[in-house]
Amino acid sequence: MAEKLYTTLSGSGEGMYSEKKSDFLGFAKHVTNEAEAIAFIASLRKQYSDARHHVYAYLLTEGNATRYSDDGEPQGTAGPPVLDVLAKRGIVDAVVVVIRYFGGTLLGTGGLVRAYTEAAKSAVEDAGVVTLVPYAVYSVKTDYADYQKLASECRKNGITVEDAVFTDRVVTVCSMPQSKQQEFLLRMQDLFNGRVNPEYIQEKMGENK
């Protein structure tokens, strides 16, 4: 079965596109719910209250929410192109706002679509796109000598050591893409001859390595 991929923005970003004296300011941000998206849009409307258009689009996993607004531009020339920038790359939990300062010259349908698309793309690229996959997190209890072997094995195989607590023994928290977990468990058996029994803790999302 194919792994479930989750593509979103790493953080926030800005971009700009100009055509025929109209400036299109793009802003993109990772959000986790609709309230965050709406607050981001409202803050930009306030900050750039002198602009003619405040176009936006967002895609959320929460409630499968998809929203966009042309904000006074001809129907379909602004909001949908911005939304397409997210949708075509499978980006979710993200909001993009493109603010237009009108330069006095009409751009036509094609010009508007291009301008809003380019400003949105620029902001998205600046924010950074990251693809995450399900990770399996395990707790591994070892003695001190075996901990060194465990840490070395993790480094060699791209397994993340998230934490290690040293008391009379060492409790190490390891995480890896779920596609690697069976290999990890078999390797633990081989390496430690059954002395070590990794305990599954939880699933989380991590970078696709």
PDB file of all heavy atoms in Angstrom, residues 120-139:
ATOM      1  N   ALA A 120       1.541  34.282  -6.339  1.00  0.00           N
ATOM      2  CA  ALA A 120       1.275  33.178  -5.409  1.00  0.00           C
ATOM      3  C   ALA A 120       2.421  32.173  -5.412  1.00  0.00           C
ATOM      4  O   ALA A 120       2.882  31.724  -4.353  1.00  0.00           O
ATOM      5  CB  ALA A 120      -0.038  32.488  -5.774  1.00  0.00           C
ATOM      6  N   LYS A 121       2.905  31.819  -6.603  1.00  0.00           N
ATOM      7  CA  LYS A 121       4.023  30.868  -6.699  1.00  0.00           C
ATOM      8  C   LYS A 121       5.251  31.388  -5.966  1.00  0.00           C
ATOM      9  O   LYS A 121       5.936  30.647  -5.260  1.00  0.00           O
ATOM     10  CB  LYS A 121       4.390  30.633  -8.172  1.00  0.00           C
ATOM     11  CG  LYS A 121       3.507  29.658  -8.910  1.00  0.00           C
ATOM     12  CD  LYS A 121       4.030  29.480 -10.341  1.00  0.00           C
ATOM     13  CE  LYS A 121       3.207  28.478 -11.123  1.00  0.00           C
ATOM     14  NZ  LYS A 121       3.693  28.368 -12.523  1.00  0.00           N
ATOM     15  N   SER A 122       5.543  32.667  -6.164  1.00  0.00           N
ATOM     16  CA  SER A 122       6.708  33.269  -5.530  1.00  0.00           C
ATOM     17  C   SER A 122       6.622  33.192  -4.006  1.00  0.00           C
ATOM     18  O   SER A 122       7.605  32.869  -3.327  1.00  0.00           O
ATOM     19  CB  SER A 122       6.830  34.725  -5.985  1.00  0.00           C
ATOM     20  OG  SER A 122       7.939  35.344  -5.410  1.00  0.00           O
ATOM     21  N   ALA A 123       5.447  33.468  -3.456  1.00  0.00           N
ATOM     22  CA  ALA A 123       5.264  33.408  -1.998  1.00  0.00           C
ATOM     23  C   ALA A 123       5.376  31.985  -1.475  1.00  0.00           C
ATOM     24  O   ALA A 123       5.977  31.734  -0.426  1.00  0.00           O
ATOM     25  CB  ALA A 123       3.905  34.012  -1.631  1.00  0.00           C
ATOM     26  N   VAL A 124       4.793  31.045  -2.206  1.00  0.00           N
ATOM     27  CA  VAL A 124       4.847  29.631  -1.810  1.00  0.00           C
ATOM     28  C   VAL A 124       6.288  29.123  -1.805  1.00  0.00           C
ATOM     29  O   VAL A 124       6.727  28.429  -0.878  1.00  0.00           O
ATOM     30  CB  VAL A 124       3.952  28.774  -2.736  1.00  0.00           C
ATOM     31  CG1 VAL A 124       4.270  27.293  -2.595  1.00  0.00           C
ATOM     32  CG2 VAL A 124       2.480  29.035  -2.420  1.00  0.00           C
ATOM     33  N   GLU A 125       7.039  29.465  -2.844  1.00  0.00           N
ATOM     34  CA  GLU A 125       8.439  29.031  -2.906  1.00  0.00           C
ATOM     35  C   GLU A 125       9.246  29.631  -1.759  1.00  0.00           C
ATOM     36  O   GLU A 125      10.117  28.976  -1.182  1.00  0.00           O
ATOM     37  CB  GLU A 125       9.062  29.423  -4.248  1.00  0.00           C
ATOM     38  CG  GLU A 125       8.528  28.635  -5.426  1.00  0.00           C
ATOM     39  CD  GLU A 125       8.720  27.124  -5.276  1.00  0.00           C
ATOM     40  OE1 GLU A 125       9.765  26.703  -4.746  1.00  0.00           O
ATOM     41  OE2 GLU A 125       7.795  26.387  -5.659  1.00  0.00           O
ATOM     42  N   ASP A 126       8.957  30.882  -1.425  1.00  0.00           N
ATOM     43  CA  ASP A 126       9.670  31.536  -0.332  1.00  0.00           C
ATOM     44  C   ASP A 126       9.336  30.890   1.016  1.00  0.00           C
ATOM     45  O   ASP A 126      10.197  30.784   1.898  1.00  0.00           O
ATOM     46  CB  ASP A 126       9.320  33.024  -0.291  1.00  0.00           C
ATOM     47  CG  ASP A 126      10.199  33.805   0.666  1.00  0.00           C
ATOM     48  OD1 ASP A 126      11.442  33.685   0.566  1.00  0.00           O
ATOM     49  OD2 ASP A 126       9.662  34.533   1.522  1.00  0.00           O
ATOM     50  N   ALA A 127       8.082  30.450   1.167  1.00  0.00           N
ATOM     51  CA  ALA A 127       7.678  29.780   2.409  1.00  0.00           C
ATOM     52  C   ALA A 127       8.331  28.413   2.539  1.00  0.00           C
ATOM     53  O   ALA A 127       8.620  27.948   3.642  1.00  0.00           O
ATOM     54  CB  ALA A 127       6.155  29.636   2.453  1.00  0.00           C
ATOM     55  N   GLY A 128       8.578  27.751   1.396  1.00  0.00           N
ATOM     56  CA  GLY A 128       9.176  26.423   1.411  1.00  0.00           C
ATOM     57  C   GLY A 128       8.110  25.338   1.453  1.00  0.00           C
ATOM     58  O   GLY A 128       7.171  25.411   2.251  1.00  0.00           O
ATOM     59  N   VAL A 129       8.245  24.369   0.578  1.00  0.00           N
ATOM     60  CA  VAL A 129       7.295  23.256   0.507  1.00  0.00           C
ATOM     61  C   VAL A 129       7.959  22.012   1.077  1.00  0.00           C
ATOM     62  O   VAL A 129       9.090  21.683   0.730  1.00  0.00           O
ATOM     63  CB  VAL A 129       6.846  23.007  -0.953  1.00  0.00           C
ATOM     64  CG1 VAL A 129       5.885  21.825  -1.023  1.00  0.00           C
ATOM     65  CG2 VAL A 129       6.199  24.259  -1.529  1.00  0.00           C
ATOM     66  N   VAL A 130       7.254  21.335   1.970  1.00  0.00           N
ATOM     67  CA  VAL A 130       7.798  20.130   2.587  1.00  0.00           C
ATOM     68  C   VAL A 130       6.783  18.998   2.462  1.00  0.00           C
ATOM     69  O   VAL A 130       5.576  19.217   2.598  1.00  0.00           O
ATOM     70  CB  VAL A 130       8.159  20.381   4.071  1.00  0.00           C
ATOM     71  CG1 VAL A 130       6.943  20.785   4.887  1.00  0.00           C
ATOM     72  CG2 VAL A 130       8.839  19.173   4.688  1.00  0.00           C
ATOM     73  N   THR A 131       7.281  17.795   2.153  1.00  0.00           N
ATOM     74  CA  THR A 131       6.419  16.621   2.077  1.00  0.00           C
ATOM     75  C   THR A 131       6.723  15.708   3.255  1.00  0.00           C
ATOM     76  O   THR A 131       7.879  15.320   3.471  1.00  0.00           O
ATOM     77  CB  THR A 131       6.618  15.862   0.758  1.00  0.00           C
ATOM     78  OG1 THR A 131       6.258  16.718  -0.332  1.00  0.00           O
ATOM     79  CG2 THR A 131       5.736  14.615   0.701  1.00  0.00           C
ATOM     80  N   LEU A 132       5.695  15.394   4.011  1.00  0.00           N
ATOM     81  CA  LEU A 132       5.832  14.567   5.201  1.00  0.00           C
ATOM     82  C   LEU A 132       5.192  13.201   4.974  1.00  0.00           C
ATOM     83  O   LEU A 132       4.274  13.060   4.164  1.00  0.00           O
ATOM     84  CB  LEU A 132       5.168  15.247   6.404  1.00  0.00           C
ATOM     85  CG  LEU A 132       5.596  16.688   6.696  1.00  0.00           C
ATOM     86  CD1 LEU A 132       4.816  17.238   7.885  1.00  0.00           C
ATOM     87  CD2 LEU A 132       7.086  16.781   6.961  1.00  0.00           C
ATOM     88  N   VAL A 133       5.709  12.208   5.690  1.00  0.00           N
ATOM     89  CA  VAL A 133       5.159  10.856   5.635  1.00  0.00           C
ATOM     90  C   VAL A 133       4.953  10.364   7.070  1.00  0.00           C
ATOM     91  O   VAL A 133       5.528  10.920   8.006  1.00  0.00           O
ATOM     92  CB  VAL A 133       6.108   9.880   4.885  1.00  0.00           C
ATOM     93  CG1 VAL A 133       6.267  10.287   3.434  1.00  0.00           C
ATOM     94  CG2 VAL A 133       7.458   9.792   5.577  1.00  0.00           C
ATOM     95  N   PRO A 134       4.159   9.304   7.264  1.00  0.00           N
ATOM     96  CA  PRO A 134       3.980   8.771   8.610  1.00  0.00           C
ATOM     97  C   PRO A 134       5.287   8.169   9.140  1.00  0.00           C
ATOM     98  O   PRO A 134       5.959   7.419   8.439  1.00  0.00           O
ATOM     99  CB  PRO A 134       2.911   7.686   8.429  1.00  0.00           C
ATOM    100  CG  PRO A 134       2.263   7.981   7.136  1.00  0.00           C
ATOM    101  CD  PRO A 134       3.310   8.598   6.280  1.00  0.00           C
ATOM    102  N   TYR A 135       5.621   8.530  10.350  1.00  0.00           N
ATOM    103  CA  TYR A 135       6.776   7.978  11.049  1.00  0.00           C
ATOM    104  C   TYR A 135       6.311   7.070  12.186  1.00  0.00           C
ATOM    105  O   TYR A 135       5.284   7.330  12.809  1.00  0.00           O
ATOM    106  CB  TYR A 135       7.615   9.099  11.660  1.00  0.00           C
ATOM    107  CG  TYR A 135       8.729   9.625  10.786  1.00  0.00           C
ATOM    108  CD1 TYR A 135       8.499  10.004   9.475  1.00  0.00           C
ATOM    109  CD2 TYR A 135      10.013   9.773  11.285  1.00  0.00           C
ATOM    110  CE1 TYR A 135       9.513  10.510   8.684  1.00  0.00           C
ATOM    111  CE2 TYR A 135      11.047  10.270  10.503  1.00  0.00           C
ATOM    112  CZ  TYR A 135      10.788  10.639   9.200  1.00  0.00           C
ATOM    113  OH  TYR A 135      11.812  11.121   8.417  1.00  0.00           O
ATOM    114  N   ALA A 136       7.070   6.031  12.448  1.00  0.00           N
ATOM    115  CA  ALA A 136       6.851   5.179  13.611  1.00  0.00           C
ATOM    116  C   ALA A 136       7.863   5.569  14.676  1.00  0.00           C
ATOM    117  O   ALA A 136       9.051   5.731  14.382  1.00  0.00           O
ATOM    118  CB  ALA A 136       7.024   3.713  13.243  1.00  0.00           C
ATOM    119  N   VAL A 137       7.396   5.743  15.898  1.00  0.00           N
ATOM    120  CA  VAL A 137       8.267   6.140  17.005  1.00  0.00           C
ATOM    121  C   VAL A 137       8.370   4.983  17.994  1.00  0.00           C
ATOM    122  O   VAL A 137       7.353   4.427  18.416  1.00  0.00           O
ATOM    123  CB  VAL A 137       7.723   7.394  17.716  1.00  0.00           C
ATOM    124  CG1 VAL A 137       8.687   7.847  18.813  1.00  0.00           C
ATOM    125  CG2 VAL A 137       7.498   8.523  16.714  1.00  0.00           C
ATOM    126  N   TYR A 138       9.600   4.618  18.338  1.00  0.00           N
ATOM    127  CA  TYR A 138       9.857   3.503  19.255  1.00  0.00           C
ATOM    128  C   TYR A 138      10.717   3.939  20.428  1.00  0.00           C
ATOM    129  O   TYR A 138      11.579   4.819  20.288  1.00  0.00           O
ATOM    130  CB  TYR A 138      10.595   2.367  18.526  1.00  0.00           C
ATOM    131  CG  TYR A 138       9.717   1.524  17.641  1.00  0.00           C
ATOM    132  CD1 TYR A 138       9.460   1.905  16.325  1.00  0.00           C
ATOM    133  CD2 TYR A 138       9.124   0.354  18.114  1.00  0.00           C
ATOM    134  CE1 TYR A 138       8.643   1.134  15.504  1.00  0.00           C
ATOM    135  CE2 TYR A 138       8.317  -0.419  17.303  1.00  0.00           C
ATOM    136  CZ  TYR A 138       8.081  -0.030  16.002  1.00  0.00           C
ATOM    137  OH  TYR A 138       7.271  -0.788  15.184  1.00  0.00           O
ATOM    138  N   SER A 139      10.479   3.297  21.569  1.00  0.00           N
ATOM    139  CA  SER A 139      11.337   3.432  22.735  1.00  0.00           C
ATOM    140  C   SER A 139      12.190   2.169  22.829  1.00  0.00           C
ATOM    141  O   SER A 139      11.667   1.052  22.758  1.00  0.00           O
ATOM    142  CB  SER A 139      10.484   3.592  24.003  1.00  0.00           C
ATOM    143  OG  SER A 139      11.303   3.548  25.156  1.00  0.00           O
TER     144      SER A 139
END
